[in-house]
Amino acid sequence: MSTADQVEAYLAGQPEPKQGDLRRLHARVLAEFPDSRLWFTDGTDDTGKVVANPNIGYGASTNAYADGSSREFYRIGLSATTTGISVYVLGLDDKTYLKRTYGDSIGKASVTGYCIRFRRLADADVDVLHAAISHGMRLDPDG
């Protein structure tokens, strides 16, 4: 199954209104970054154990680890949770950036070092949310 098909199956499996909110976010990211790499992770590790919620990913960057290894991964993640939706902005060196920059203007959302959570898309200021997503997609991959 192609990545786009996996994403579609994931979206189709979500209840409304969450499905509609996820579809709106997905469409806007694809429209703004049409050439970005699309990812889908099912939330399982190499042994099949569930370790996270499934995620739709956008963009690509190479993450370097302390042991000298590296791995390519997405820049922005989008995931349905039991209580709403999470948007992950990965690759930020300053873990206070999201909260400082978007926390006061994003609406009814919880903002942490790399995650923006909200119950429904209507609870968040969509333009502010997309500003955070755009920032994450445009991070310099070389630091």
Side-chain angles (χ1 to χ4, degrees):
M1 185 182 300
S2 73
T3 302
D5 289 340
Q6 289 177 305
V7 169
E8 177 54 35
Y10 174 67
L11 293 172
Q14 299 303 314
E16 289 294 353
K18 192 180 297 185
Q19 182 182 146
D21 288 348
L22 288 165
R23 286 186 183 281
R24 281 188 286 287
L25 286 170
H26 177 63
R28 186 157 174 187
V29 173
L30 290 179
E32 188 171 346
F33 301 98
D35 298 326
S36 69
R37 180 171 170 188
L38 182 65
W39 301 68
F40 182 76
T41 59
D42 65 4
T44 60
D45 66 10
D46 293 336
T47 67
K49 179 181 175 186
V50 175
V51 295
N53 288 324
N55 271 266
I56 302 168
Y58 308 91
S61 69
T62 302
N63 299 333
Y65 299 99
D67 68 0
S69 66
S70 63
R71 173 175 96 143
E72 192 175 43
F73 206 59
Y74 50 82
R75 293 177 174 272
I76 301 295
L78 177 61
S79 180
T81 67
T82 56
T83 59
I85 297 172
S86 291
V87 175
Y88 303 98
V89 181
L90 305 178
L92 298 170
D93 290 331
D94 179 353
K95 298 303 176 198
T96 68
Y97 178 82
L98 282 181
K99 189 168 187 71
R100 278 187 302 106
T101 307
Y102 306 106
D104 290 339
S105 57
I106 200 157
K108 288 176 58 177
S110 168
V111 182
T112 65
Y114 64 93
C115 182
I116 301 169
R117 293 181 187 94
F118 45 91
R119 269 185 76 71
R120 296 180 26 228
L121 191 53
D123 292 339
D125 182 316
V126 177
D127 291 332
V128 174
L129 178 61
H130 280 282
I133 291 169
S134 293
H135 176 80
M137 287 294 282
R138 292 186 173 99
L139 285 173
D140 181 355
D142 297 321

